[in-house]
């Protein structure tokens, strides 16, 4: 539990860990998860749109230029909310 600005306790937002492969269809799956995560954590539409665009572009670059071969590779993504800000990590 965390305290809001008013001092009331509120539940910790969930953190979602996603393991993708470097296949284009995986971007669609992740973006669907991002939308659900944003809805569940009351992320404003404007923030969701910016995150969606940035994540789509970043994953495209990783999938197209991040590997010297065409073998499957894992891409780990973490979605979370820290101090009322959406946080996305890709590794």
């Amino acid at each position: 539990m965390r305290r809001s600005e008013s001092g009331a306790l509120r539940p910790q937002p969930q953190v979602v860990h996603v393991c993708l492969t470097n296949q284009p269809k995986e971007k669609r799956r992740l973006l669907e998860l991002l939308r659900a995560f944003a809805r569940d954590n009351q992320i404003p539409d404007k923030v969701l749109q910016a995150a969606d665009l940035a994540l789509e572009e970043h994953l495209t670059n990783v999938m197209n230029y991040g590997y010297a071969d065409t073998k499957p590779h894992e891409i780990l993504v973490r979605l979370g909310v820290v101090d009322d800000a959406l946080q996305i990590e890709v590794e």
Side-chain angles (χ1 to χ4, degrees):
M1 301 291 264
R2 305 189 317 181
R3 291 203 181 271
S4 68
E5 290 179 15
S6 67
L9 287 176
R10 61 182 182 174
Q12 283 284 76
Q14 69 184 38
V15 174
V16 175
H17 297 266
V18 183
C19 183
L20 309 172
T21 61
N22 55 323
Q23 302 299 314
K25 67 181 179 182
E26 293 283 78
K27 288 189 294 185
R28 186 173 31 254
R29 182 171 72 97
L30 178 62
L31 296 175
E32 289 171 7
L33 288 168
L34 172 64
R35 289 183 192 106
F37 181 84
R39 182 186 60 247
D40 294 347
N41 288 278
Q42 301 171 340
I43 303 294
D45 286 342
K46 186 174 181 177
V47 173
L48 173 59
Q49 290 170 354
D52 186 307
L53 178 62
L55 196 51
E56 167 81 22
E57 187 68 24
H58 185 68
L59 288 174
T60 297
N61 288 338
V62 168
M63 290 178 182
N64 289 338
Y65 309 113
Y67 306 102
D69 58 40
T70 58
K71 295 178 185 174
H73 296 275
E74 287 186 346
I75 301 169
L76 304 175
V77 179
R78 187 179 80 75
L79 306 174
V81 176
V82 177
D83 297 326
D84 294 327
L86 176 62
Q87 193 172 70
I88 302 172
E89 297 176 8
V90 179
E91 56 179 273

